[in-house]
Amino acid sequence: TDTSHVPAFTKMLNDASDPAHIPGARVVAAWKGGSADIESSRTRVDKYADEIHTKWGVEIVADIKTLCGKVDAVLIESVDGRAHLAEARQVFAAGKPAFIDKPLAATLEDAREIARLAAAAGVPWFSSSSLRWSEITDSTKGPGVLGAHTWGPGPLEEHHHLDLSWYAIHPIEMLFTLMGTGCEEVTRIVGSDADEIDCRWKDGRIGGVRALRPYGGYGAVVYRKDGVAQSPAKPKTGYETLVRQIVQFFQTGKPPVPNEETLEIFAFMDAAQRSK
């Protein structure tokens, strides 16, 4: 319960009076978790646990094993990607499908191990940034994409070995939404206020990501056969479409984002780290 996604998602699912209410699932129980060495985790975990318990009656339980006995599916929301492998291992062992929030893991190796454990247990999972479903991608994607450049905030967190996974995964996820899989080569240029990651796909197309520091807005430029498309200056973003995708996934067992694509995104970030 150490990310703002927890009260935001719970309100959408549990509050029928919310204009963004999404029917079909309810948050009924939660485990706090938390990482003492990450400030944004330790300073929020109790606050968000209390909020969802007080406002929406969510039961706070002592451990993941107890949690899995009370639910049909699990949202792995720990803000710390390092925690996700150990958490997912327990969830998959209980046979529960899982949405694993960004970042899926803190390393490529952990991401691959999560996928292996899920396959061995026969349990479906997916992971995605909410920016995959936003006005940025909706306004620029289309047939005949020749290349794309995306941008977004890229602050770093010292405990995440793949430093782009902490926050720059948002514009990276947008790039893969627009370009698809098949990235072959990655080069990263490190600057004082931004990093530029240039990449080439197997079919010769070129893409790029700019990770801004400190925080900045999100956007994309897409080069298509029918011209150049640019996202709005102040695009609409939010969690509603992502949460709808999560509920549908829990109902059908079919991931809206292929696991293979998520692993390629992590291979992309791993290559960018080695380039740095």
Side-chain angles (χ1 to χ4, degrees):
T1 63
D2 58 354
T3 169
S4 59
H5 292 188
V6 168
F9 291 6
T10 303
K11 180 174 175 57
M12 286 183 179
L13 294 169
N14 290 25
D15 186 354
S17 66
D18 185 353
H21 173 62
I22 297 168
R26 286 179 58 81
V27 178
V28 297
W31 172 66
K32 286 184 182 180
S35 299
D37 57 355
I38 296 182
E39 182 181 5
S40 60
S41 174
R42 68 173 180 266
T43 59
R44 300 188 298 176
V45 62
D46 290 326
K47 170 189 171 184
Y48 291 144
D50 182 67
E51 182 177 350
I52 63 173
H53 174 69
T54 302
K55 289 186 177 180
W56 297 291
V58 176
E59 180 184 1
I60 306 301
V61 302
D63 50 49
I64 291 177
K65 183 178 180 180
T66 303
L67 177 72
C68 288
K70 294 175 178 288
V71 302
D72 300 308
V74 177
L75 300 164
I76 296 180
E77 292 294 328
S78 297
V79 72
D80 183 355
R82 295 174 301 170
H84 289 175
L85 174 57
E87 293 167 351
R89 180 179 283 111
Q90 297 177 72
V91 172
F92 296 154
K96 305 296 180 179
F99 167 73
I100 306 175
D101 214 328
K102 64 85 187 167
L104 170 65
T107 66
L108 174 60
E109 292 76 17
D110 277 10
R112 287 174 171 166
E113 180 63 7
I114 287 171
R116 189 194 68 80
L117 289 170
V123 178
W125 65 277
F126 90 97
S127 180
S128 180
S129 159
S130 62
L131 273 294
R132 178 176 285 270
W133 299 283
S134 67
E135 189 177 16
I136 298 168
T137 53
D138 288 346
S139 64
T140 55
K141 65 184 178 184
V145 172
L146 302 175
H149 188 270
T150 64
W151 61 88
L156 308 179
E157 200 286 314
E158 61 178 332
H159 300 96
H160 283 67
H161 171 69
L162 294 185
D163 53 25
L164 295 175
S165 71
W166 176 249
Y167 220 91
I169 192 167
H170 289 307
I172 292 170
E173 186 107 32
M174 291 192 297
L175 180 68
F176 275 79
T177 303
L178 296 165
M179 294 280 286
T181 56
C183 184
E184 186 175 55
E185 184 176 335
V186 177
T187 303
R188 180 176 179 180
I189 302 170
V190 179
S192 58
D193 59 357
D195 286 8
E196 186 75 28
I197 305 98
D198 293 319
C199 40
R200 184 176 64 202
W201 261 243
K202 291 178 181 178
D203 57 10
R205 293 179 301 153
I206 294 174
V209 175
R210 192 171 185 87
L212 306 168
R213 290 188 302 273
Y215 284 75
Y218 294 97
V221 172
V222 179
Y223 306 94
R224 302 195 313 230
K225 291 180 179 179
D226 60 355
V228 178
Q230 182 166 344
S231 60
K234 295 182 177 180
K236 296 177 182 178
T237 61
Y239 303 137
E240 186 175 351
T241 303
L242 171 61
V243 176
R244 289 189 184 278
Q245 294 286 344
I246 292 170
V247 172
Q248 185 175 359
F249 162 68
F250 286 155
Q251 291 171 339
T252 66
K254 297 178 181 179
V257 181
N259 298 155
E260 295 76 15
E261 181 169 339
T262 300
L263 293 178
E264 184 171 318
I265 288 172
F266 268 76
F268 174 100
M269 291 188 291
D270 185 77
Q273 195 74 31
R274 287 184 279 119
S275 177
K276 176 183 178 180

